[in-house]
Amino acid sequence: MCGIFGCILKTGKAAPIIHEGLKKLEYRGYDSVGFATIDSGALHVRKDAGRIDEVVERLEMEKMPGSLGIGHTRWATHGAPEMVNAHPHMDCEGRVAVIHNGVIENFMELKEELLQKGHNFTSRTDTEIIAHLIEEEMKEDVEMGEAILRALRNLEGSYALGIVSSTDPERIYVARNESPIVLGVSEHGTFCASDVPALLPYTNQVVYLRSGEFAVMDEDGFQIKNIQDGTSVVRELQEITWTLEMAEKQGYPHFMLKEIYEQPVSLRNALRLQQRYIDLLSAFMDRGRELFLMAAGTSYYACIAASYMFSRLSRLSTYPVIASEFIDQYGSSLGIDSVVVAVSQSGETYDTLQAIEHARMRAATVLGVTNTVFSTLSRRARAYISQQSGPEIGVAATKTFTSQLMVLAQLALRLARTKGKISQDEVDELDAKMQEIPDVVEEVLKRHGESIKDLVDKYAGEKLFVFLGRGISSATALEGRLKLLELTYIPSLAYPAGESKHGPISVIEDGVPVVFVCPRGNSRQNIVGSIMEMKARGARIISICEEGDKNIIELSDDVVEMPVGIPELLSPIPYIVPLQLFAYHLAVKKGLDPDMPRNLAKSVTVP
Ligand code: AGP
């Protein structure tokens, strides 16, 4: 995620307003910042890597002239956070400046075409190609809006764009495909931003641009058009009644709930990874004699789930390892043909970093999956993939967990194709199902987003919960339990269901709630026996199962019915969502703050 902001003022300088606007969007990204303003027909651009206030002060950006301008704060997805990759990006002539939030899927092909037409690029970002595409269309001697519309029709992927040009000094152009952008008007001028918080100090009269729409802004207001056919769109202004604090959460009461509901978008972005990174990491993995998936906390549970994917799809044995145990457990046996995939949302977890340094010392190949492009992990790994989830403010990992799984699933599928251990039809079918997962998660949120509260009300007074699953669902059960534990502090257990007889079943007595994660698939036939074991000892059964799964439903006291047709190997992604919601709402019901659970930090950077 990145933050974009723009304004056209009737009087006064735009730069200080841009600065304030971006500050309200800092939670969307903060590894670099840039402004573009227009004054007397000249385009002024200043930008660099670094936090907003630091860069604005160092480059004296508030002194930039002009009452029209745009600004951008970046969460790097393509290209490290360096000055050259900071937005705005410009065309060869330096007449067009573009800021962007989103991921352009076809930027490599478009860049190739533009290079062949003689364009020079200064960055490695996907965004820069947009400025050159507009420059190309301007050669057709059409007015600016038409040139931009033509350029936009080449793009595939997600974008919220702000565009200014010295050739059209009175206007700002904005466009949206998936990534949000909001327009606002007041007697002082016209505004645009990624999110309402940036507009509230100036206006609460707004319009949300919709996907596939384009708008031309001037100091008196804006006109909206459909990108594909150029037809005009009329839309009423909405009055925003949120407080500023609520607005930063887009109306959600907590960042965690906002981030749970962001998962369809973050999963779509995780599916827009540049294939060359998937190819690179899978090639390294394919060469390894032994493969470790190493992480902490929720990221470790993603590794457990991934180990089932690699084994089933790629016939590769991978060893999920807890970061803090890695050196003691495997440190002495690592060698040059060991491959360690470190999975870390923050890329700064102390135990994970200690483990990769040890692995590097042993000449092992260290790979990374992270959400933070400029993190230590991304710099110390031989190669890494950015999962593109955008900043996750809630301490509890939610959207970053499901995106990690989506990245790891793509790696497992890529290796399945390479190694050819399963049929091409099976791989293609699973790939197609994987592409549907964001929509499935959207459906789960629609079905259970509110109704899960009934389950919370029923079990709110419980003093112990047990979470069980078999096969890959044991990872889902472990993560579901961690969510409940870290948010509500209620003691709970989570085990692979087959382990119950080896100890955990001793805690079961009348009324103890046992949550079973049981999608259809290979492990399902064994889960029925586990449910019967628990019921025989008085447990109350809460099952997360496929809609219409009569056997499970009849055995359960409560069920959360999931959409039909979710492959077992991908089931942790949608099946964790009801458990995220359950933990969140139970914490709220207990009067706790889900965004900041006691004793926990978002990134554990100490031993
Ligand atoms: C999970 O909700 C916690 N926030 C915690 O377990 C977290 O997953 C763990 O600290 C690992 O963090 P990382 O992914 O940034 O390395």
Side-chain angles (χ1 to χ4, degrees):
M1 261 194 313
C2 302
I4 70 176
F5 182 87
C7 62
I8 308 172
L9 304 179
K10 291 191 167 116
T11 59
K13 282 178 36 172
I17 305 296
I18 295 170
H19 182 194
E20 279 318 303
L22 290 182
K23 286 292 290 174
K24 297 282 186 299
L25 300 172
E26 199 158 21
Y27 69 88
R28 299 179 64 86
Y30 38 72
D31 58 50
S32 43
V33 64
F35 294 5
T37 62
I38 305 247
D39 181 51
S40 311
L43 176 60
H44 303 264
V45 173
R46 293 183 197 176
K47 62 180 185 175
D48 204 350
R51 298 299 295 249
I52 295 171
D53 286 342
E54 184 272 322
V55 175
V56 168
E57 186 183 351
R58 175 159 48 85
L59 301 186
E60 297 186 314
M61 292 164 79
E62 289 209 356
K63 292 181 179 169
M64 293 172 73
S67 56
L68 178 152
I70 54 177
H72 182 273
T73 180
R74 185 171 181 241
W75 179 271
T77 55
H78 292 90
E82 295 154 2
M83 191 282 284
V84 287
N85 291 328
H87 301 210
H89 289 287
M90 291 189 282
D91 64 318
C92 302
E93 306 291 325
R95 297 182 300 171
V96 179
V98 177
I99 56 176
H100 169 222
N101 172 30
V103 178
I104 304 301
E105 289 174 51
N106 63 335
F107 91 96
M108 292 302 287
E109 304 93 272
L110 294 172
K111 185 167 184 173
E112 201 43 53
E113 290 168 22
L114 290 161
L115 284 166
Q116 283 166 16
K117 290 177 181 172
H119 287 264
N120 300 312
F121 287 82
T122 59
S123 82
R124 293 179 51 206
T125 66
D126 52 344
T127 305
E128 189 181 352
I129 60 122
I130 300 170
H132 294 278
L133 281 174
I134 294 169
E135 177 187 11
E136 204 54 35
E137 294 301 338
M138 287 165 73
K139 292 174 184 168
E140 305 301 318
D141 197 20
V142 292
E143 54 93 25
M144 191 68 193
E146 180 56 29
I148 293 171
L149 277 171
R150 291 182 185 182
L152 293 176
R153 291 165 188 153
N154 296 289
L155 302 181
E156 293 168 14
S158 58
Y159 55 79
L161 297 175
I163 302 160
V164 294
S165 172
S166 54
T167 64
D168 190 347
E170 309 295 322
R171 293 181 184 84
I172 294 176
Y173 295 88
V174 294
R176 174 187 183 182
N177 194 43
E178 291 187 25
S179 302
I181 195 159
V182 193
L183 305 176
V185 287
S186 78
E187 68 275 11
H188 304 299
T190 310
F191 305 83
C192 64
S194 303
D195 220 343
V196 162
L199 299 182
L200 284 182
Y202 314 105
T203 179
N204 64 1
Q205 303 297 313
V206 305
V207 161
Y208 285 84
L209 213 52
R210 292 180 187 163
S211 248
E213 291 182 345
F214 160 84
V216 186
M217 293 165 55
D218 61 28
E219 70 173 24
D220 298 316
F222 51 81
Q223 295 77 41
I224 301 175
K225 291 187 176 180
N226 180 287
I227 293 172
Q228 287 314 316
D229 60 19
T231 52
S232 293
V233 175
V234 178
R235 188 148 308 128
E236 293 298 314
L237 286 169
Q238 289 174 251
E239 181 167 308
I240 295 291
T241 56
W242 292 340
T243 62
L244 188 54
E245 200 237 349
M246 277 179 71
E248 284 179 345
K249 296 163 188 157
Q250 286 173 358
Y252 290 99
H254 298 99
F255 280 111
M256 181 180 171
L257 191 60
K258 170 177 163 291
E259 286 147 10
I260 289 173
Y261 276 85
E262 269 176 358
Q263 290 181 110
V265 171
S266 52
L267 285 166
R268 289 188 186 103
N269 282 338
L271 284 170
R272 288 193 177 111
L273 300 175
Q274 293 305 313
Q275 279 313 304
R276 55 200 170 110
Y277 298 122
I278 298 281
D279 296 348
L280 181 62
L281 260 72
S282 55
F284 276 121
M285 292 179 74
D286 197 19
R287 286 188 343 215
R289 174 181 58 81
E290 54 183 6
L291 283 169
F292 298 96
L293 308 175
M294 182 271 294
T298 286
S299 302
Y300 168 62
Y301 297 142
C303 291
I304 294 178
S307 65
Y308 290 84
M309 297 175 185
F310 285 115
S311 171
R312 175 74 185 74
L313 294 177
S314 327
R315 300 294 190 269
L316 267 179
S317 296
T318 56
Y319 307 103
V321 190
I322 290 175
S324 56
E325 289 301 317
F326 182 73
I327 296 173
D328 291 337
Q329 199 169 4
Y330 296 104
S332 309
S333 58
L334 286 177
I336 195 161
D337 47 12
S338 306
V339 173
V340 180
V341 181
V343 179
S344 174
Q345 186 282 129
S346 62
E348 298 299 346
T349 296
Y350 176 85
D351 295 328
T352 306
L353 297 182
Q354 290 295 100
I356 63 173
E357 288 312 317
H358 184 90
R360 283 167 53 98
M361 184 188 66
R362 302 280 305 187
T365 298
V366 174
L367 306 173
V369 175
T370 186
N371 189 38
T372 314
V373 173
F374 62 113
S375 61
T376 305
L377 169 55
S378 65
R379 283 185 278 107
R380 303 296 288 163
R382 177 82 177 275
Y384 75 92
I385 286 183
S386 159
Q387 61 190 67
Q388 302 181 145
S389 310
E392 186 175 63
I393 311 300
V395 165
T398 50
K399 64 175 182 174
T400 56
F401 172 68
T402 49
S403 287
Q404 285 170 344
L405 288 172
M406 190 63 98
V407 172
L408 294 162
Q410 291 176 79
L411 284 170
L413 263 177
R414 184 74 189 80
L415 280 161
R417 290 189 196 283
T418 309
K419 301 176 80 67
K421 300 287 187 184
I422 60 175
S423 75
Q424 193 58 46
D425 289 348
E426 193 177 354
V427 172
D428 292 344
E429 186 190 346
L430 198 68
D431 196 348
K433 286 285 188 182
M434 186 171 68
Q435 304 302 323
E436 295 169 8
I437 288 292
D439 294 341
V440 169
V441 168
E442 201 152 33
E443 171 60 23
V444 173
L445 287 165
K446 278 197 193 97
R447 271 192 207 187
H448 302 299
E450 286 305 310
S451 61
I452 203 81
K453 293 177 188 172
D454 300 337
L455 208 59
V456 168
D457 292 343
K458 182 172 180 181
Y459 291 93
E462 294 305 319
K463 301 287 182 269
L464 170 69
F465 283 85
V466 176
F467 292 76
L468 298 175
R470 278 188 177 262
I472 197 167
S473 296
S474 58
T476 317
L478 285 161
E479 170 57 13
R481 176 259 178 169
L482 179 61
K483 287 285 101 38
L484 187 76
L485 183 71
E486 64 178 327
L487 293 169
T488 68
Y489 325 141
I490 299 172
S492 52
L493 298 178
Y495 276 86
E499 270 294 280
S500 303
K501 298 180 288 299
H502 305 282
I505 201 164
S506 62
V507 303
I508 303 300
E509 56 188 10
D510 259 2
V512 169
V514 179
V515 179
F516 278 93
V517 181
C518 36
R520 288 224 189 262
N522 298 334
S523 59
R524 188 187 157 293
Q525 63 269 16
N526 298 319
I527 208 85
V528 173
S530 301
I531 293 176
M532 303 291 282
E533 265 175 13
M534 296 299 159
K535 281 180 77 68
R537 290 160 180 79
R540 283 184 293 169
I541 307 299
I542 303 168
S543 295
I544 322 284
C545 65
E546 185 177 86
E547 182 181 346
D549 188 337
K550 286 192 174 50
N551 274 2
I552 301 291
I553 292 170
E554 282 160 11
L555 291 169
S556 304
D557 296 274
D558 292 280
V559 289
V560 177
E561 295 191 63
M562 299 291 284
V564 173
I566 299 168
E568 184 177 28
L569 272 181
L570 299 175
S571 65
I573 301 175
Y575 274 64
I576 193 60
V577 174
L579 299 179
Q580 293 170 341
L581 290 164
F582 183 78
Y584 167 81
H585 286 295
L586 185 45
V588 169
K589 188 173 181 68
K590 290 169 67 77
L592 301 169
D593 181 351
D595 282 341
M596 289 185 278
R598 70 185 181 199
N599 308 335
L600 295 178
K602 185 58 189 170
S603 177
V604 183
T605 56
V606 293

